[in-house]
Amino acid sequence: MPTPLLEPLPAEARHGTSLLDAALAWAGRLSRIAVWAAGALTLASVLLITVDVLLRKIAGRGIGGSDELAGYVFAISTSWAFAFATLQRAHVRVDVLYHRLPTRVAAAVDWLCLVAFAIFFAYLARFGFDVVRQSFAQDSRSNSALGMHLWIPQLLWFLGIAWMCIVTGLLLLRAGSALVHGDVASVQRWAGVRSAKEEAVEEASAGERIVQGERK
């Protein structure tokens, strides 16, 4: 995974030759920011739990509510990480038969996988919105000392799912267009399974960055 928080846009996106490519480039940048923010929240929740445990051990009394907040953070961070993982093609897929398929058939399978993704997250967003709406209308609160308004963490979780739906829609359009025009390479770039060569190159790049960082 590249190190910079905001990567430069591809040349074709900067020059506006492809609206979908430009939209996906910006989606990638926003998704990266979301992942960094989610990671920061996760670290903050870990620190809060650590302090809570130490206070319970030393003073016999903790902060309270750290486990509840950590649960909210986990759900929110996960929902906002979906889009970034999809753009990076980092989701786990069983590819025992995939690499044995003809190239065009594999590209069609990649696009159908995106369709399945879109359907699943559309349903999840639909019912997730109902949960947020009902919690807000009923002013539901957590049954704890915090008494958290449940619609607040639920809304943040739902927005991550909604963003995933937007990104999946963009990928569907981009990969679908490439499939129609017979551009199999672009379909694999946006929706395919990463090859062993791509993973090796990524690991080598990550190792090189680590070595350069140690030299500095």
Side-chain angles (χ1 to χ4, degrees), residues 84-137:
F84 181 76
T86 302
L87 289 168
Q88 294 291 314
R89 295 182 294 162
H91 290 296
V92 175
R93 287 172 58 176
V94 179
D95 57 355
V96 176
L97 298 177
Y98 176 84
H99 294 294
R100 300 179 183 273
L101 296 174
T103 304
R104 292 185 179 275
V105 175
V109 170
D110 291 331
W111 190 79
L112 288 175
C113 288
L114 274 180
V115 172
F117 246 48
I119 293 173
F120 172 78
F121 278 98
Y123 269 98
L124 189 60
R126 165 71 175 82
F127 291 106
F129 177 77
D130 284 343
V131 170
V132 177
R133 180 176 56 81
Q134 291 176 8
S135 294
F136 181 79

Side-chain angles (χ1 to χ4, degrees), residues 188-199:
Q188 292 178 336
R189 173 192 172 192
W190 293 110
V193 176
R194 288 192 298 179
S195 65
K197 180 178 179 180
E198 287 177 313
E199 292 182 354

